[in-house]
Amino acid sequence: MEVYIGQDKNRSSQSYPDLAEIEVRNLKVRYPGDDRDVLNIEDLIIPKGQTLGIIGSSGAGKTTFLRTIGGFVKPYSGSVTVTNNTRGNIGFIFQNFNLIGRGTVFENVLFGRLGKTSTIKSIFGMFSDRDKDIAFEAIKEVNLTSQIDQRTDTLSGGEMQRVAIARAIAQEAGVILADEPVSNLDPALSHEILDLLVQSSTKHRATLIINLHQPALAKRYVQRIIGLRKGKIVFDKESSLLDNSHLNSIYETEFESSIMFESKN
Amino acid sequence: MRTDYIRSTKSRVNIQRILTFFILIILFFWSSRGADVQPTKLFEGLPRMADFFSRMVPPDTSVAKTVFKSMVETIQIALFGTFLSAIISFFAGILAAENITPRYINRPVKWLLAMLRGIPVILLALLFVSTVGLGPFPGVLAIALHSTGMLGKFYSEAMENAQIGPIEALESAGANFVQKIRFGILSQVAPDLARDTLFRFELNLRESLVLGLVGAGGIGFYILLYIRSFQYEKVATLTLVVLVAVVIIEQISISIRKSLR
């Protein structure tokens, strides 16, 4: 296994390699009543500000890995340490958006401030002016101000994912985890959303980890790529170094180059 | 092999159908015997029914005001009982929801709600009349408690149907337990809760009609009084008032329920 902890030549100014944001040590994850390791990661350091893509077949453990970092899944053994892991420091962006459909764009983004608002005040919707400012700025950043009072269940898929990104921005999250954020979107929208995701996390100096189905998208948008196969890291390099031989070992198949990298435009 | 399989599915389906059919037939005759069903009696009695109705006309409208007043009281009992029940059911529903509380809390609460559902409203009314005396107050208590058995169950089921995804999203945004219930669950299921409550109000309104039979307020008192003293012209007025009030209120409630989303 080749371990890469370094900087991309293009985006080095946004990466802080000395500061480990996420540290994984001897991590094993199992599901209850099953003694197989869904994840088995010995050693992984993700520096602050890095954009990291995770690729691998369905069932390789991509989602489980993100959910373990996000705290939704408890390790069977070993540890995942996230620096400054206070309430709301990890923003999660989901494949199926997971917004509160009956809430407006503004309300959903404002929910990103829940961790910083007292329970009583938040229950009666009494968010501070500062929180509202932050939410508004986040909505501006994802370019949704014209739909700010619209219910999110009336938005398109791309717009819903923008709301989710705005919520993560409003959270002022140090880490943003995106679990296949574009797999429900068409190719053009996928580029739009990934652009936005990478730009915002870079701007706010957040560490970004994205699970992606398409290696071509990973190669294009992230600095570093990790390949998972059956819960283990089988590839870990600067994204530009990913080639077909790696893909074949990650996916255990014979890919033709045209299939994997054609969508680069 | 393939034909064997197809044949076996056929016989399985047929056995199920035949069994269901026979069980229904048996239940039909068993229940009709217990209910002492005698169609001939019904036909023989038709003239007496006509007599009953003929004594109802013309309706005695002199009691319209009294009857109307007590109908309003009935509506108030049903409405306030529903309010009380909604408040209790809200907390009971949270406690009974399997996705919110652990088993050792939600199971007992579910049992308690089932017990409340099992007690007929008229029995609760009798109990509260002997506790707090005659009048609409025991009626309100009876309605509130009886409908909590159903409403608490409906609320908890609505909350259990809330999608986990948005709740997890809020959790990662830093929401605590209370905030997750408020914004993750209640925001999702609020229209369901409102629909359940309105539906329960319609039921409560109809159930409140009989509370007066045991002295627990409302129009039931006059139903009993007029029928016992054979004043069928007054019963006619009363029936009309009840019918119009119930139909109008139900229609309003139904249209509100439909508009919720």
Side-chain angles (χ1 to χ4, degrees):
Chain A
M1 191 182 77
E2 294 156 286
V3 176
Y4 159 83
I5 308 168
Q7 294 156 297
D8 181 279
K9 38 195 179 306
N10 305 317
R11 295 202 186 90
S12 57
S13 58
Q14 270 82 39
S15 194
Y16 309 88
D18 328 333
L19 293 167
E21 182 76 38
I22 298 166
E23 211 174 322
V24 182
R25 294 265 176 255
N26 300 318
L27 174 70
K28 282 187 182 174
V29 174
R30 292 178 183 180
Y31 290 129
D34 191 344
D35 57 0
R36 282 173 300 177
D37 295 327
V38 181
L39 274 180
N40 185 353
I41 296 173
E42 283 173 15
D43 189 31
L44 179 71
I45 288 176
I46 303 165
K48 188 164 177 53
Q50 191 168 60
T51 55
L52 173 75
I54 301 175
I55 59 173
S57 323
S58 300
K62 302 194 295 292
T63 297
T64 305
F65 186 39
L66 276 204
R67 289 176 66 82
T68 310
I69 300 173
F72 293 122
V73 174
K74 297 277 165 278
Y76 172 76
S77 65
S79 66
V80 177
T81 319
V82 179
T83 315
N84 183 29
N85 194 8
T86 50
R87 243 170 17 113
N89 187 46
I90 300 178
F92 214 109
I93 288 163
F94 300 83
Q95 180 179 357
N96 46 0
F97 322 121
N98 283 342
L99 303 174
I100 305 297
R102 297 183 59 254
T104 64
V105 170
F106 187 64
E107 284 165 344
N108 269 280
V109 176
L110 208 48
F111 289 154
R113 305 302 298 167
L114 282 178
K116 279 113 183 157
T117 310
S118 82
T119 308
I120 299 291
K121 277 188 176 171
S122 66
I123 278 181
F124 295 104
M126 290 156 61
F127 289 89
S128 71
D129 284 349
R130 185 172 168 271
D131 287 335
K132 289 177 186 168
D133 272 347
I134 290 170
F136 190 84
E137 283 304 314
I139 292 168
K140 220 162 106 184
E141 195 172 323
V142 300
N143 208 6
L144 273 179
T145 38
S146 59
Q147 278 134 305
I148 192 161
D149 282 327
Q150 206 170 316
R151 255 169 76 152
T152 54
D153 56 7
T154 64
L155 298 176
S156 69
E159 289 165 342
M160 286 192 198
Q161 206 55 300
R162 282 167 183 273
V163 176
I165 293 170
R167 180 168 63 194
I169 296 171
Q171 250 174 274
E172 297 172 319
V175 176
I176 295 176
L177 307 174
D179 188 17
E180 288 169 23
V182 296
S183 59
N184 281 339
L185 305 175
D186 67 46
L189 268 178
S190 298
H191 284 297
E192 209 179 291
I193 292 296
L194 286 174
D195 263 332
L196 184 65
L197 203 49
V198 170
Q199 272 169 26
S200 322
S201 56
T202 308
K203 181 178 164 192
H204 297 280
R205 301 186 166 187
T207 309
L208 175 66
I209 306 177
I210 316 182
N211 280 351
L212 282 169
H213 258 317
Q214 293 125 298
L217 288 177
K219 203 170 156 82
R220 175 162 172 180
Y221 284 99
V222 301
Q223 299 166 337
R224 171 184 176 191
I225 290 177
I226 284 177
L228 281 182
R229 191 178 68 207
K230 291 175 182 162
K232 290 186 172 171
I233 294 178
V234 293
F235 176 85
D236 182 357
K237 277 183 180 172
E238 197 176 305
S239 56
S240 58
L241 299 176
L242 181 75
D243 63 31
N244 278 311
S245 64
H246 297 128
L247 289 177
N248 289 334
S249 91
I250 294 168
Y251 291 95
E252 294 180 285
T253 32
E254 295 295 320
F255 278 118
E256 293 194 16
S257 58
S258 58
I259 296 173
M260 299 317 294
F261 292 128
E262 196 180 40
S263 68
K264 195 169 180 178
N265 52 7
Chain B
M1 176 66 197
R2 185 162 160 265
T3 47
D4 282 353
Y5 174 73
I6 292 169
R7 206 169 292 142
S8 77
T9 58
K10 243 182 208 166
S11 62
R12 247 180 298 163
V13 169
N14 282 343
I15 288 168
Q16 272 180 8
R17 278 191 191 148
I18 292 166
L19 216 62
T20 311
F21 183 72
F22 272 111
I23 288 171
L24 287 176
I25 293 284
I26 290 165
L27 285 176
F28 181 86
F29 284 107
W30 177 76
S31 57
S32 77
R33 283 188 64 178
D36 189 25
V37 176
Q38 299 177 37
T40 47
K41 264 193 178 176
L42 182 61
F43 286 112
E44 282 166 16
L46 280 178
R48 282 197 293 276
M49 191 189 262
D51 178 51
F52 184 94
F53 280 117
S54 72
R55 277 192 277 166
M56 286 177 108
V57 283
D60 180 356
T61 50
S62 68
V63 292
K65 206 172 168 188
T66 320
V67 166
F68 182 76
K69 260 188 183 167
S70 66
M71 186 64 218
V72 171
E73 188 182 88
T74 303
I75 295 168
Q76 287 172 316
I77 293 171
L79 194 58
F80 193 71
T82 310
F83 273 125
L84 268 186
S85 170
I87 294 166
I88 306 168
S89 298
F90 175 76
F91 294 103
I94 289 175
L95 291 176
E98 284 167 19
N99 56 347
I100 300 176
T101 57
R103 222 181 168 124
Y104 61 83
I105 294 179
N106 63 51
R107 275 298 159 92
V109 176
K110 277 188 167 141
W111 289 332
L112 195 71
L113 292 173
M115 271 167 57
L116 282 180
R117 280 199 299 281
I119 309 173
V121 73
I122 202 80
L123 217 63
L124 284 171
L126 272 170
L127 172 74
F128 284 119
V129 164
S130 62
T131 313
V132 301
L134 296 168
F137 183 48
V140 165
L141 292 178
I143 288 290
L145 213 59
H146 176 69
S147 52
T148 297
M150 185 184 113
L151 213 48
K153 180 180 189 258
F154 279 16
Y155 282 6
S156 71
E157 282 172 1
M159 294 179 199
E160 281 164 4
N161 283 333
Q163 288 176 308
I164 184 80
I167 303 169
E168 283 188 343
L170 292 186
E171 188 177 333
S172 75
N176 61 29
F177 182 71
V178 176
Q179 289 169 331
K180 275 192 283 182
I181 291 179
R182 165 67 187 84
F183 296 106
I185 296 178
L186 291 182
S187 296
Q188 280 191 63
V189 304
D192 298 320
L193 301 191
R195 265 192 293 270
D196 292 343
T197 313
L198 281 166
F199 178 60
R200 188 61 236 187
F201 169 64
E202 293 165 32
L203 295 181
N204 283 348
L205 183 63
R206 275 175 268 142
E207 296 207 358
S208 301
L209 295 173
V210 298
L211 288 171
L213 299 183
V214 295
I219 202 162
F221 172 73
Y222 292 98
I223 300 179
L224 195 66
L225 180 72
Y226 296 154
I227 291 180
R228 282 266 170 88
S229 54
F230 307 109
Q231 296 172 291
Y232 292 113
E233 304 91 340
K234 291 178 180 170
V235 173
T237 309
L238 184 144
T239 309
L240 282 175
V241 168
V242 168
L243 209 66
V244 170
V246 169
V247 168
I248 289 177
I249 290 176
E250 279 200 0
Q251 284 309 310
I252 295 172
S253 175
I254 288 169
S255 62
I256 298 175
R257 278 199 278 144
K258 275 187 181 158
S259 72
L260 293 168
R261 64 190 178 97

